[in-house]
PDB file of all heavy atoms in Angstrom:
ATOM      1  N   GLY Q   1     106.004  90.153  97.977  1.00  0.00           N
ATOM      2  CA  GLY Q   1     106.846  88.971  97.901  1.00  0.00           C
ATOM      3  C   GLY Q   1     106.049  87.708  97.651  1.00  0.00           C
ATOM      4  O   GLY Q   1     104.897  87.792  97.266  1.00  0.00           O
ATOM      5  N   LEU Q   2     106.686  86.592  97.894  1.00  0.00           N
ATOM      6  CA  LEU Q   2     106.080  85.280  97.670  1.00  0.00           C
ATOM      7  C   LEU Q   2     105.675  84.700  99.013  1.00  0.00           C
ATOM      8  O   LEU Q   2     106.455  84.681  99.960  1.00  0.00           O
ATOM      9  CB  LEU Q   2     107.057  84.336  96.974  1.00  0.00           C
ATOM     10  CG  LEU Q   2     106.612  82.904  96.761  1.00  0.00           C
ATOM     11  CD1 LEU Q   2     105.432  82.832  95.820  1.00  0.00           C
ATOM     12  CD2 LEU Q   2     107.772  82.086  96.218  1.00  0.00           C
ATOM     13  N   VAL Q   3     104.445  84.222  99.099  1.00  0.00           N
ATOM     14  CA  VAL Q   3     103.933  83.668 100.332  1.00  0.00           C
ATOM     15  C   VAL Q   3     103.010  82.490 100.021  1.00  0.00           C
ATOM     16  O   VAL Q   3     102.378  82.477  98.971  1.00  0.00           O
ATOM     17  CB  VAL Q   3     103.189  84.733 101.172  1.00  0.00           C
ATOM     18  CG1 VAL Q   3     101.943  85.223 100.433  1.00  0.00           C
ATOM     19  CG2 VAL Q   3     102.831  84.211 102.544  1.00  0.00           C
ATOM     20  N   GLN Q   4     102.985  81.510 100.907  1.00  0.00           N
ATOM     21  CA  GLN Q   4     102.104  80.371 100.707  1.00  0.00           C
ATOM     22  C   GLN Q   4     100.664  80.706 101.060  1.00  0.00           C
ATOM     23  O   GLN Q   4     100.394  81.588 101.896  1.00  0.00           O
ATOM     24  CB  GLN Q   4     102.577  79.199 101.558  1.00  0.00           C
ATOM     25  CG  GLN Q   4     103.894  78.569 101.092  1.00  0.00           C
ATOM     26  CD  GLN Q   4     104.247  77.346 101.939  1.00  0.00           C
ATOM     27  OE1 GLN Q   4     104.131  77.330 103.154  1.00  0.00           O
ATOM     28  NE2 GLN Q   4     104.736  76.311 101.226  1.00  0.00           N
ATOM     29  N   ALA Q   5      99.718  80.023 100.431  1.00  0.00           N
ATOM     30  CA  ALA Q   5      98.314  80.196 100.742  1.00  0.00           C
ATOM     31  C   ALA Q   5      98.111  79.993 102.243  1.00  0.00           C
ATOM     32  O   ALA Q   5      98.654  79.053 102.845  1.00  0.00           O
ATOM     33  CB  ALA Q   5      97.471  79.256  99.927  1.00  0.00           C
ATOM     34  N   GLY Q   6      97.264  80.867 102.840  1.00  0.00           N
ATOM     35  CA  GLY Q   6      97.013  80.814 104.255  1.00  0.00           C
ATOM     36  C   GLY Q   6      97.957  81.678 105.038  1.00  0.00           C
ATOM     37  O   GLY Q   6      97.718  81.894 106.264  1.00  0.00           O
ATOM     38  N   GLY Q   7      99.031  82.155 104.446  1.00  0.00           N
ATOM     39  CA  GLY Q   7     100.009  82.992 105.120  1.00  0.00           C
ATOM     40  C   GLY Q   7      99.595  84.432 105.163  1.00  0.00           C
ATOM     41  O   GLY Q   7      98.531  84.847 104.736  1.00  0.00           O
ATOM     42  N   SER Q   8     100.531  85.240 105.677  1.00  0.00           N
ATOM     43  CA  SER Q   8     100.268  86.670 105.850  1.00  0.00           C
ATOM     44  C   SER Q   8     101.389  87.499 105.249  1.00  0.00           C
ATOM     45  O   SER Q   8     102.527  87.023 105.116  1.00  0.00           O
ATOM     46  CB  SER Q   8     100.162  87.018 107.348  1.00  0.00           C
ATOM     47  OG  SER Q   8      99.080  86.354 107.964  1.00  0.00           O
ATOM     48  N   LEU Q   9     101.060  88.721 104.915  1.00  0.00           N
ATOM     49  CA  LEU Q   9     102.027  89.657 104.353  1.00  0.00           C
ATOM     50  C   LEU Q   9     101.537  91.058 104.705  1.00  0.00           C
ATOM     51  O   LEU Q   9     100.337  91.346 104.730  1.00  0.00           O
ATOM     52  CB  LEU Q   9     102.127  89.469 102.842  1.00  0.00           C
ATOM     53  CG  LEU Q   9     103.386  89.864 102.117  1.00  0.00           C
ATOM     54  CD1 LEU Q   9     104.594  89.071 102.642  1.00  0.00           C
ATOM     55  CD2 LEU Q   9     103.233  89.655 100.599  1.00  0.00           C
ATOM     56  N   ARG Q  10     102.488  91.968 104.938  1.00  0.00           N
ATOM     57  CA  ARG Q  10     102.125  93.371 105.202  1.00  0.00           C
ATOM     58  C   ARG Q  10     102.774  94.265 104.207  1.00  0.00           C
ATOM     59  O   ARG Q  10     104.021  94.256 104.027  1.00  0.00           O
ATOM     60  CB  ARG Q  10     102.553  93.771 106.609  1.00  0.00           C
ATOM     61  CG  ARG Q  10     102.053  95.170 107.002  1.00  0.00           C
ATOM     62  CD  ARG Q  10     102.423  95.510 108.425  1.00  0.00           C
ATOM     63  NE  ARG Q  10     103.845  95.702 108.608  1.00  0.00           N
ATOM     64  CZ  ARG Q  10     104.441  95.971 109.760  1.00  0.00           C
ATOM     65  NH1 ARG Q  10     103.680  96.042 110.824  1.00  0.00           N
ATOM     66  NH2 ARG Q  10     105.731  96.106 109.807  1.00  0.00           N
ATOM     67  N   LEU Q  11     101.957  95.052 103.502  1.00  0.00           N
ATOM     68  CA  LEU Q  11     102.436  96.001 102.561  1.00  0.00           C
ATOM     69  C   LEU Q  11     102.504  97.377 103.206  1.00  0.00           C
ATOM     70  O   LEU Q  11     101.686  97.720 104.067  1.00  0.00           O
ATOM     71  CB  LEU Q  11     101.538  96.084 101.318  1.00  0.00           C
ATOM     72  CG  LEU Q  11     101.273  94.771 100.606  1.00  0.00           C
ATOM     73  CD1 LEU Q  11     100.425  95.020  99.359  1.00  0.00           C
ATOM     74  CD2 LEU Q  11     102.576  94.087 100.218  1.00  0.00           C
ATOM     75  N   SER Q  12     103.454  98.169 102.768  1.00  0.00           N
ATOM     76  CA  SER Q  12     103.582  99.521 103.289  1.00  0.00           C
ATOM     77  C   SER Q  12     103.709 100.494 102.125  1.00  0.00           C
ATOM     78  O   SER Q  12     104.274 100.162 101.081  1.00  0.00           O
ATOM     79  CB  SER Q  12     104.819  99.633 104.198  1.00  0.00           C
ATOM     80  OG  SER Q  12     104.941 100.937 104.753  1.00  0.00           O
ATOM     81  N   CYS Q  13     103.193 101.680 102.308  1.00  0.00           N
ATOM     82  CA  CYS Q  13     103.287 102.736 101.318  1.00  0.00           C
ATOM     83  C   CYS Q  13     103.815 103.997 102.006  1.00  0.00           C
ATOM     84  O   CYS Q  13     103.170 104.514 102.940  1.00  0.00           O
ATOM     85  CB  CYS Q  13     101.913 102.988 100.673  1.00  0.00           C
ATOM     86  SG  CYS Q  13     101.892 104.336  99.462  1.00  0.00           S
ATOM     87  N   ALA Q  14     104.965 104.472 101.563  1.00  0.00           N
ATOM     88  CA  ALA Q  14     105.548 105.697 102.096  1.00  0.00           C
ATOM     89  C   ALA Q  14     105.221 106.874 101.183  1.00  0.00           C
ATOM     90  O   ALA Q  14     105.447 106.767  99.962  1.00  0.00           O
ATOM     91  CB  ALA Q  14     107.039 105.520 102.275  1.00  0.00           C
ATOM     92  N   ALA Q  15     104.729 107.929 101.738  1.00  0.00           N
ATOM     93  CA  ALA Q  15     104.322 109.096 100.964  1.00  0.00           C
ATOM     94  C   ALA Q  15     105.259 110.277 101.236  1.00  0.00           C
ATOM     95  O   ALA Q  15     105.605 110.546 102.413  1.00  0.00           O
ATOM     96  CB  ALA Q  15     102.886 109.484 101.260  1.00  0.00           C
ATOM     97  N   SER Q  16     105.589 110.975 100.210  1.00  0.00           N
ATOM     98  CA  SER Q  16     106.343 112.232 100.360  1.00  0.00           C
ATOM     99  C   SER Q  16     105.377 113.358  99.964  1.00  0.00           C
ATOM    100  O   SER Q  16     104.656 113.292  98.973  1.00  0.00           O
ATOM    101  CB  SER Q  16     107.576 112.262  99.470  1.00  0.00           C
ATOM    102  OG  SER Q  16     107.249 112.194  98.101  1.00  0.00           O
ATOM    103  N   GLY Q  17     105.354 114.383 100.772  1.00  0.00           N
ATOM    104  CA  GLY Q  17     104.459 115.487 100.566  1.00  0.00           C
ATOM    105  C   GLY Q  17     104.117 116.179 101.856  1.00  0.00           C
ATOM    106  O   GLY Q  17     104.128 115.539 102.920  1.00  0.00           O
ATOM    107  N   ARG Q  18     103.759 117.403 101.758  1.00  0.00           N
ATOM    108  CA  ARG Q  18     103.494 118.184 102.955  1.00  0.00           C
ATOM    109  C   ARG Q  18     102.047 118.169 103.408  1.00  0.00           C
ATOM    110  O   ARG Q  18     101.728 118.702 104.494  1.00  0.00           O
ATOM    111  CB  ARG Q  18     103.952 119.630 102.764  1.00  0.00           C
ATOM    112  CG  ARG Q  18     103.449 120.276 101.490  1.00  0.00           C
ATOM    113  CD  ARG Q  18     104.068 121.638 101.288  1.00  0.00           C
ATOM    114  NE  ARG Q  18     103.732 122.191  99.976  1.00  0.00           N
ATOM    115  CZ  ARG Q  18     102.622 122.844  99.674  1.00  0.00           C
ATOM    116  NH1 ARG Q  18     101.708 123.023 100.624  1.00  0.00           N
ATOM    117  NH2 ARG Q  18     102.445 123.305  98.450  1.00  0.00           N
ATOM    118  N   THR Q  19     101.184 117.520 102.657  1.00  0.00           N
ATOM    119  CA  THR Q  19      99.778 117.480 102.972  1.00  0.00           C
ATOM    120  C   THR Q  19      99.221 116.060 102.958  1.00  0.00           C
ATOM    121  O   THR Q  19      98.069 115.826 102.539  1.00  0.00           O
ATOM    122  CB  THR Q  19      98.938 118.372 102.032  1.00  0.00           C
ATOM    123  OG1 THR Q  19      99.172 117.947 100.677  1.00  0.00           O
ATOM    124  CG2 THR Q  19      99.323 119.838 102.195  1.00  0.00           C
ATOM    125  N   PHE Q  20      99.989 115.104 103.430  1.00  0.00           N
ATOM    126  CA  PHE Q  20      99.565 113.715 103.418  1.00  0.00           C
ATOM    127  C   PHE Q  20      98.241 113.502 104.109  1.00  0.00           C
ATOM    128  O   PHE Q  20      97.382 112.746 103.635  1.00  0.00           O
ATOM    129  CB  PHE Q  20     100.646 112.831 104.056  1.00  0.00           C
ATOM    130  CG  PHE Q  20     100.256 111.378 104.155  1.00  0.00           C
ATOM    131  CD1 PHE Q  20     100.200 110.556 103.062  1.00  0.00           C
ATOM    132  CD2 PHE Q  20      99.935 110.845 105.396  1.00  0.00           C
ATOM    133  CE1 PHE Q  20      99.857 109.232 103.146  1.00  0.00           C
ATOM    134  CE2 PHE Q  20      99.568 109.492 105.530  1.00  0.00           C
ATOM    135  CZ  PHE Q  20      99.553 108.697 104.397  1.00  0.00           C
ATOM    136  N   SER Q  21      98.063 114.150 105.227  1.00  0.00           N
ATOM    137  CA  SER Q  21      96.867 113.922 106.027  1.00  0.00           C
ATOM    138  C   SER Q  21      95.585 114.454 105.332  1.00  0.00           C
ATOM    139  O   SER Q  21      94.474 114.127 105.797  1.00  0.00           O
ATOM    140  CB  SER Q  21      96.994 114.583 107.418  1.00  0.00           C
ATOM    141  OG  SER Q  21      97.143 115.984 107.297  1.00  0.00           O
ATOM    142  N   SER Q  22      95.727 115.240 104.308  1.00  0.00           N
ATOM    143  CA  SER Q  22      94.583 115.746 103.614  1.00  0.00           C
ATOM    144  C   SER Q  22      94.055 114.789 102.536  1.00  0.00           C
ATOM    145  O   SER Q  22      93.036 115.041 101.931  1.00  0.00           O
ATOM    146  CB  SER Q  22      94.897 117.108 102.962  1.00  0.00           C
ATOM    147  OG  SER Q  22      95.830 116.928 101.890  1.00  0.00           O
ATOM    148  N   TYR Q  23      94.731 113.667 102.328  1.00  0.00           N
ATOM    149  CA  TYR Q  23      94.373 112.711 101.315  1.00  0.00           C
ATOM    150  C   TYR Q  23      93.786 111.433 101.904  1.00  0.00           C
ATOM    151  O   TYR Q  23      94.286 110.893 102.882  1.00  0.00           O
ATOM    152  CB  TYR Q  23      95.558 112.303 100.490  1.00  0.00           C
ATOM    153  CG  TYR Q  23      96.113 113.383  99.585  1.00  0.00           C
ATOM    154  CD1 TYR Q  23      97.040 114.279 100.052  1.00  0.00           C
ATOM    155  CD2 TYR Q  23      95.662 113.512  98.289  1.00  0.00           C
ATOM    156  CE1 TYR Q  23      97.548 115.278  99.219  1.00  0.00           C
ATOM    157  CE2 TYR Q  23      96.130 114.515  97.444  1.00  0.00           C
ATOM    158  CZ  TYR Q  23      97.062 115.394  97.937  1.00  0.00           C
ATOM    159  OH  TYR Q  23      97.557 116.392  97.115  1.00  0.00           O
ATOM    160  N   ALA Q  24      92.674 110.991 101.321  1.00  0.00           N
ATOM    161  CA  ALA Q  24      92.219 109.638 101.582  1.00  0.00           C
ATOM    162  C   ALA Q  24      93.171 108.715 100.817  1.00  0.00           C
ATOM    163  O   ALA Q  24      93.677 109.045  99.749  1.00  0.00           O
ATOM    164  CB  ALA Q  24      90.781 109.457 101.087  1.00  0.00           C
ATOM    165  N   MET Q  25      93.427 107.535 101.390  1.00  0.00           N
ATOM    166  CA  MET Q  25      94.373 106.602 100.779  1.00  0.00           C
ATOM    167  C   MET Q  25      93.654 105.290 100.444  1.00  0.00           C
ATOM    168  O   MET Q  25      92.777 104.842 101.172  1.00  0.00           O
ATOM    169  CB  MET Q  25      95.542 106.315 101.702  1.00  0.00           C
ATOM    170  CG  MET Q  25      96.355 107.545 102.068  1.00  0.00           C
ATOM    171  SD  MET Q  25      97.216 108.265 100.643  1.00  0.00           S
ATOM    172  CE  MET Q  25      98.306 106.906 100.171  1.00  0.00           C
ATOM    173  N   GLY Q  26      94.083 104.714  99.340  1.00  0.00           N
ATOM    174  CA  GLY Q  26      93.500 103.431  98.936  1.00  0.00           C
ATOM    175  C   GLY Q  26      94.537 102.445  98.425  1.00  0.00           C
ATOM    176  O   GLY Q  26      95.661 102.834  98.084  1.00  0.00           O
ATOM    177  N   TRP Q  27      94.163 101.190  98.450  1.00  0.00           N
ATOM    178  CA  TRP Q  27      94.945 100.130  97.859  1.00  0.00           C
ATOM    179  C   TRP Q  27      94.138  99.483  96.769  1.00  0.00           C
ATOM    180  O   TRP Q  27      92.967  99.223  96.907  1.00  0.00           O
ATOM    181  CB  TRP Q  27      95.325  99.069  98.885  1.00  0.00           C
ATOM    182  CG  TRP Q  27      96.411  99.457  99.849  1.00  0.00           C
ATOM    183  CD1 TRP Q  27      96.238  99.940 101.098  1.00  0.00           C
ATOM    184  CD2 TRP Q  27      97.808  99.338  99.637  1.00  0.00           C
ATOM    185  NE1 TRP Q  27      97.473 100.178 101.663  1.00  0.00           N
ATOM    186  CE2 TRP Q  27      98.470  99.798 100.809  1.00  0.00           C
ATOM    187  CE3 TRP Q  27      98.607  98.869  98.562  1.00  0.00           C
ATOM    188  CZ2 TRP Q  27      99.829  99.831 100.936  1.00  0.00           C
ATOM    189  CZ3 TRP Q  27      99.961  98.932  98.712  1.00  0.00           C
ATOM    190  CH2 TRP Q  27     100.577  99.381  99.863  1.00  0.00           C
ATOM    191  N   PHE Q  28      94.801  99.292  95.614  1.00  0.00           N
ATOM    192  CA  PHE Q  28      94.226  98.581  94.474  1.00  0.00           C
ATOM    193  C   PHE Q  28      95.157  97.455  94.076  1.00  0.00           C
ATOM    194  O   PHE Q  28      96.330  97.460  94.463  1.00  0.00           O
ATOM    195  CB  PHE Q  28      94.027  99.580  93.298  1.00  0.00           C
ATOM    196  CG  PHE Q  28      92.977 100.619  93.501  1.00  0.00           C
ATOM    197  CD1 PHE Q  28      93.199 101.697  94.335  1.00  0.00           C
ATOM    198  CD2 PHE Q  28      91.717 100.462  92.905  1.00  0.00           C
ATOM    199  CE1 PHE Q  28      92.212 102.667  94.524  1.00  0.00           C
ATOM    200  CE2 PHE Q  28      90.730 101.453  93.081  1.00  0.00           C
ATOM    201  CZ  PHE Q  28      90.993 102.508  93.900  1.00  0.00           C
ATOM    202  N   ARG Q  29      94.645  96.524  93.300  1.00  0.00           N
ATOM    203  CA  ARG Q  29      95.487  95.474  92.791  1.00  0.00           C
ATOM    204  C   ARG Q  29      95.118  95.149  91.370  1.00  0.00           C
ATOM    205  O   ARG Q  29      93.996  95.382  90.903  1.00  0.00           O
ATOM    206  CB  ARG Q  29      95.391  94.236  93.671  1.00  0.00           C
ATOM    207  CG  ARG Q  29      94.014  93.554  93.661  1.00  0.00           C
ATOM    208  CD  ARG Q  29      93.990  92.434  94.715  1.00  0.00           C
ATOM    209  NE  ARG Q  29      92.745  91.736  94.689  1.00  0.00           N
ATOM    210  CZ  ARG Q  29      92.380  90.807  95.583  1.00  0.00           C
ATOM    211  NH1 ARG Q  29      93.248  90.482  96.576  1.00  0.00           N
ATOM    212  NH2 ARG Q  29      91.208  90.187  95.508  1.00  0.00           N
ATOM    213  N   GLN Q  30      96.051  94.601  90.638  1.00  0.00           N
ATOM    214  CA  GLN Q  30      95.850  94.226  89.249  1.00  0.00           C
ATOM    215  C   GLN Q  30      96.611  92.952  88.906  1.00  0.00           C
ATOM    216  O   GLN Q  30      97.810  92.917  89.053  1.00  0.00           O
ATOM    217  CB  GLN Q  30      96.247  95.335  88.322  1.00  0.00           C
ATOM    218  CG  GLN Q  30      95.895  95.091  86.849  1.00  0.00           C
ATOM    219  CD  GLN Q  30      96.082  96.315  85.983  1.00  0.00           C
ATOM    220  OE1 GLN Q  30      96.920  97.180  86.290  1.00  0.00           O
ATOM    221  NE2 GLN Q  30      95.295  96.418  84.952  1.00  0.00           N
ATOM    222  N   ALA Q  31      95.879  91.958  88.485  1.00  0.00           N
ATOM    223  CA  ALA Q  31      96.479  90.722  88.040  1.00  0.00           C
ATOM    224  C   ALA Q  31      96.607  90.747  86.501  1.00  0.00           C
ATOM    225  O   ALA Q  31      95.853  91.435  85.834  1.00  0.00           O
ATOM    226  CB  ALA Q  31      95.627  89.520  88.471  1.00  0.00           C
ATOM    227  N   PRO Q  32      97.532  89.980  85.949  1.00  0.00           N
ATOM    228  CA  PRO Q  32      97.705  89.962  84.469  1.00  0.00           C
ATOM    229  C   PRO Q  32      96.420  89.613  83.770  1.00  0.00           C
ATOM    230  O   PRO Q  32      95.714  88.676  84.130  1.00  0.00           O
ATOM    231  CB  PRO Q  32      98.758  88.886  84.274  1.00  0.00           C
ATOM    232  CG  PRO Q  32      99.545  88.867  85.532  1.00  0.00           C
ATOM    233  CD  PRO Q  32      98.542  89.127  86.611  1.00  0.00           C
ATOM    234  N   GLY Q  33      96.053  90.403  82.774  1.00  0.00           N
ATOM    235  CA  GLY Q  33      94.839  90.167  81.995  1.00  0.00           C
ATOM    236  C   GLY Q  33      93.561  90.611  82.658  1.00  0.00           C
ATOM    237  O   GLY Q  33      92.497  90.439  82.090  1.00  0.00           O
ATOM    238  N   LYS Q  34      93.657  91.221  83.835  1.00  0.00           N
ATOM    239  CA  LYS Q  34      92.470  91.670  84.526  1.00  0.00           C
ATOM    240  C   LYS Q  34      92.520  93.164  84.763  1.00  0.00           C
ATOM    241  O   LYS Q  34      93.596  93.805  84.711  1.00  0.00           O
ATOM    242  CB  LYS Q  34      92.318  90.960  85.869  1.00  0.00           C
ATOM    243  CG  LYS Q  34      92.066  89.456  85.773  1.00  0.00           C
ATOM    244  CD  LYS Q  34      91.802  88.844  87.141  1.00  0.00           C
ATOM    245  CE  LYS Q  34      91.489  87.368  87.026  1.00  0.00           C
ATOM    246  NZ  LYS Q  34      91.198  86.777  88.331  1.00  0.00           N
ATOM    247  N   GLU Q  35      91.340  93.754  85.005  1.00  0.00           N
ATOM    248  CA  GLU Q  35      91.250  95.159  85.292  1.00  0.00           C
ATOM    249  C   GLU Q  35      91.732  95.444  86.738  1.00  0.00           C
ATOM    250  O   GLU Q  35      91.679  94.558  87.601  1.00  0.00           O
ATOM    251  CB  GLU Q  35      89.805  95.642  85.169  1.00  0.00           C
ATOM    252  CG  GLU Q  35      89.245  95.579  83.747  1.00  0.00           C
ATOM    253  CD  GLU Q  35      89.956  96.522  82.802  1.00  0.00           C
ATOM    254  OE1 GLU Q  35      90.193  97.681  83.214  1.00  0.00           O
ATOM    255  OE2 GLU Q  35      90.277  96.140  81.692  1.00  0.00           O
ATOM    256  N   ARG Q  36      92.221  96.642  86.943  1.00  0.00           N
ATOM    257  CA  ARG Q  36      92.609  97.047  88.269  1.00  0.00           C
ATOM    258  C   ARG Q  36      91.364  97.078  89.164  1.00  0.00           C
ATOM    259  O   ARG Q  36      90.317  97.629  88.778  1.00  0.00           O
ATOM    260  CB  ARG Q  36      93.284  98.390  88.221  1.00  0.00           C
ATOM    261  CG  ARG Q  36      93.843  98.873  89.560  1.00  0.00           C
ATOM    262  CD  ARG Q  36      94.833  99.999  89.375  1.00  0.00           C
ATOM    263  NE  ARG Q  36      94.261 101.124  88.650  1.00  0.00           N
ATOM    264  CZ  ARG Q  36      94.960 102.118  88.167  1.00  0.00           C
ATOM    265  NH1 ARG Q  36      96.280 102.152  88.320  1.00  0.00           N
ATOM    266  NH2 ARG Q  36      94.344 103.103  87.539  1.00  0.00           N
ATOM    267  N   GLU Q  37      91.460  96.519  90.340  1.00  0.00           N
ATOM    268  CA  GLU Q  37      90.317  96.467  91.237  1.00  0.00           C
ATOM    269  C   GLU Q  37      90.608  97.027  92.615  1.00  0.00           C
ATOM    270  O   GLU Q  37      91.761  96.984  93.077  1.00  0.00           O
ATOM    271  CB  GLU Q  37      89.807  95.016  91.390  1.00  0.00           C
ATOM    272  CG  GLU Q  37      90.773  94.076  92.070  1.00  0.00           C
ATOM    273  CD  GLU Q  37      90.194  92.727  92.352  1.00  0.00           C
ATOM    274  OE1 GLU Q  37      88.929  92.583  92.395  1.00  0.00           O
ATOM    275  OE2 GLU Q  37      91.002  91.757  92.501  1.00  0.00           O
ATOM    276  N   PHE Q  38      89.604  97.559  93.196  1.00  0.00           N
ATOM    277  CA  PHE Q  38      89.694  98.169  94.518  1.00  0.00           C
ATOM    278  C   PHE Q  38      89.903  97.110  95.586  1.00  0.00           C
ATOM    279  O   PHE Q  38      89.297  96.051  95.518  1.00  0.00           O
ATOM    280  CB  PHE Q  38      88.432  98.978  94.790  1.00  0.00           C
ATOM    281  CG  PHE Q  38      88.280  99.445  96.208  1.00  0.00           C
ATOM    282  CD1 PHE Q  38      89.011 100.506  96.696  1.00  0.00           C
ATOM    283  CD2 PHE Q  38      87.411  98.796  97.078  1.00  0.00           C
ATOM    284  CE1 PHE Q  38      88.916 100.955  97.976  1.00  0.00           C
ATOM    285  CE2 PHE Q  38      87.288  99.226  98.375  1.00  0.00           C
ATOM    286  CZ  PHE Q  38      88.048 100.293  98.825  1.00  0.00           C
ATOM    287  N   VAL Q  39      90.736  97.420  96.578  1.00  0.00           N
ATOM    288  CA  VAL Q  39      90.972  96.550  97.690  1.00  0.00           C
ATOM    289  C   VAL Q  39      90.475  97.171  99.012  1.00  0.00           C
ATOM    290  O   VAL Q  39      89.668  96.569  99.696  1.00  0.00           O
ATOM    291  CB  VAL Q  39      92.453  96.187  97.806  1.00  0.00           C
ATOM    292  CG1 VAL Q  39      92.716  95.320  99.046  1.00  0.00           C
ATOM    293  CG2 VAL Q  39      92.939  95.457  96.568  1.00  0.00           C
ATOM    294  N   ALA Q  40      90.976  98.328  99.325  1.00  0.00           N
ATOM    295  CA  ALA Q  40      90.639  98.971 100.622  1.00  0.00           C
ATOM    296  C   ALA Q  40      90.944 100.452 100.562  1.00  0.00           C
ATOM    297  O   ALA Q  40      91.782 100.880  99.755  1.00  0.00           O
ATOM    298  CB  ALA Q  40      91.412  98.318 101.749  1.00  0.00           C
ATOM    299  N   ALA Q  41      90.266 101.223 101.405  1.00  0.00           N
ATOM    300  CA  ALA Q  41      90.518 102.656 101.484  1.00  0.00           C
ATOM    301  C   ALA Q  41      90.400 103.120 102.923  1.00  0.00           C
ATOM    302  O   ALA Q  41      89.688 102.489 103.732  1.00  0.00           O
ATOM    303  CB  ALA Q  41      89.543 103.421 100.601  1.00  0.00           C
ATOM    304  N   ILE Q  42      91.016 104.227 103.231  1.00  0.00           N
ATOM    305  CA  ILE Q  42      90.999 104.791 104.565  1.00  0.00           C
ATOM    306  C   ILE Q  42      90.905 106.299 104.486  1.00  0.00           C
ATOM    307  O   ILE Q  42      91.527 106.920 103.651  1.00  0.00           O
ATOM    308  CB  ILE Q  42      92.236 104.329 105.404  1.00  0.00           C
ATOM    309  CG1 ILE Q  42      92.070 104.769 106.833  1.00  0.00           C
ATOM    310  CG2 ILE Q  42      93.506 104.846 104.765  1.00  0.00           C
ATOM    311  CD1 ILE Q  42      93.119 104.063 107.764  1.00  0.00           C
ATOM    312  N   TRP Q  43      90.056 106.851 105.333  1.00  0.00           N
ATOM    313  CA  TRP Q  43      89.820 108.295 105.359  1.00  0.00           C
ATOM    314  C   TRP Q  43      91.035 109.062 105.822  1.00  0.00           C
ATOM    315  O   TRP Q  43      91.978 108.503 106.428  1.00  0.00           O
ATOM    316  CB  TRP Q  43      88.584 108.619 106.193  1.00  0.00           C
ATOM    317  CG  TRP Q  43      88.134 110.045 106.177  1.00  0.00           C
ATOM    318  CD1 TRP Q  43      87.979 110.873 107.242  1.00  0.00           C
ATOM    319  CD2 TRP Q  43      87.808 110.799 105.026  1.00  0.00           C
ATOM    320  NE1 TRP Q  43      87.580 112.122 106.810  1.00  0.00           N
ATOM    321  CE2 TRP Q  43      87.469 112.116 105.467  1.00  0.00           C
ATOM    322  CE3 TRP Q  43      87.775 110.567 103.636  1.00  0.00           C
ATOM    323  CZ2 TRP Q  43      87.071 113.105 104.591  1.00  0.00           C
ATOM    324  CZ3 TRP Q  43      87.395 111.559 102.781  1.00  0.00           C
ATOM    325  CH2 TRP Q  43      87.036 112.832 103.256  1.00  0.00           C
ATOM    326  N   ARG Q  44      91.013 110.364 105.575  1.00  0.00           N
ATOM    327  CA  ARG Q  44      92.168 111.205 105.880  1.00  0.00           C
ATOM    328  C   ARG Q  44      92.671 111.055 107.330  1.00  0.00           C
ATOM    329  O   ARG Q  44      93.859 110.947 107.590  1.00  0.00           O
ATOM    330  CB  ARG Q  44      91.821 112.661 105.630  1.00  0.00           C
ATOM    331  CG  ARG Q  44      91.581 112.973 104.128  1.00  0.00           C
ATOM    332  CD  ARG Q  44      91.159 114.401 103.961  1.00  0.00           C
ATOM    333  NE  ARG Q  44      89.840 114.662 104.519  1.00  0.00           N
ATOM    334  CZ  ARG Q  44      89.221 115.819 104.500  1.00  0.00           C
ATOM    335  NH1 ARG Q  44      89.846 116.903 103.957  1.00  0.00           N
ATOM    336  NH2 ARG Q  44      88.043 115.947 105.052  1.00  0.00           N
TER     337      ARG Q  44
END
């Protein structure tokens, strides 16, 4: 969504699948005209 500088936001990702816990998960972001970049990752 839209938020002012200095503010907070929480993103959520819901996964469907029977082996979710077997996957490491990551967040990436991409701004217009820029390459997709890594943000954060978490182990299984």
Side-chain angles (χ1 to χ4, degrees):
L2 176 65
V3 64
Q4 291 184 317
S8 298
L9 205 61
R10 186 176 70 184
L11 305 183
S12 182
C13 177
S16 63
R18 49 186 171 84
T19 57
F20 175 73
S21 62
S22 68
Y23 290 89
M25 299 295 297
W27 285 95
F28 291 77
R29 66 187 183 187
Q30 186 170 28
K34 295 186 177 181
E35 296 293 317
R36 184 164 56 192
E37 66 174 338
F38 169 77
V39 176
I42 187 166
W43 185 237
R44 294 176 293 179

